[in-house]
Amino acid sequence: GADEAAADATRRWCDGTARPLEGVFFGVKDIIDVAGAPVTAGSHTTGDRVAVTDATAVARLRAAGAIPVLITATTEFACGAPRNARYGAVTNPWDRSRWTGGSSTGSAGALAARLVPLALGTDTGGSIRVPSALCNLTGIKPTYGLVPRTGVASLSWTLDHIGPMARSAADL
């Protein structure tokens, strides 16, 4: 649906009804549901599960005009190890001999490689902050509960946070 959403964004810009994030492409970590997209949590054990509805965070970004265009790799069940059986390691675009760090590894890699200007990550023990630091990005771990976690595979419901990542604080 990205092509249709982009055409709608163009129409909205032309007729003066653009929303705050109109036409901004974004990536979504592979534990966050995007309707119609495979969401595997980086594991072979999940099979090829396809999300039925958007996670609340994705729905809110869509409502603001943003367009999800890719599901980004994560470590298996967002546990944070560099090697993943399903995806392999996501290398750091600044130095391909290094890892991007943390479980929001694909979101950081996609941002640093300039595939998208915005991505969603999750942070339980540093998984937004570490890859952001290692890839020269900016990420926010919001106040607990500020961003609803509905539609997100949980690692630790008492510690999980959903947050944005971008190439700069100004972008966020």
Side-chain angles (χ1 to χ4, degrees), residues 40 70 80 83 108 137:
T40 68
L70 58 97
R83 181 76 186 130
L137 306 168

Side-chain angles (χ1 to χ4, degrees), residues 76-159:
E76 190 169 23
F77 298 110
C79 287
R83 181 76 186 130
N84 177 275
R86 188 171 190 123
Y87 298 120
V90 176
T91 57
N92 189 318
W94 296 101
D95 181 347
R96 305 296 276 176
S97 69
R98 297 177 186 271
W99 181 42
T100 56
S103 69
S104 297
T105 185
S107 293
L111 287 165
R114 297 188 173 275
L115 298 177
V116 289
L118 174 68
L120 286 177
T122 63
D123 195 313
T124 302
S127 294
I128 289 174
R129 296 162 290 156
V130 171
S132 293
L134 296 180
C135 293
N136 195 32
L137 306 168
T138 301
I140 295 175
K141 178 182 176 182
T143 300
Y144 181 77
L146 184 64
V147 180
R149 294 167 304 161
T150 50
V152 179
S154 182
L155 177 59
S156 170
W157 69 269
T158 60
L159 298 173

Side-chain angles (χ1 to χ4, degrees), residues 32-33 54-58 147-153 162:
I32 303 170
D33 285 356
D54 284 337
T56 301
V58 172
V147 180
R149 294 167 304 161
T150 50
V152 179
I162 301 167

Side-chain angles (χ1 to χ4, degrees), residues 26-34 37-41 68-74 87 106-107:
F26 70 101
V28 182
K29 183 177 178 176
D30 188 19
I31 64 167
I32 303 170
D33 285 356
V34 177
V39 180
T40 68
V69 293
L70 58 97
I71 301 294
T72 63
T74 185
Y87 298 120
S107 293

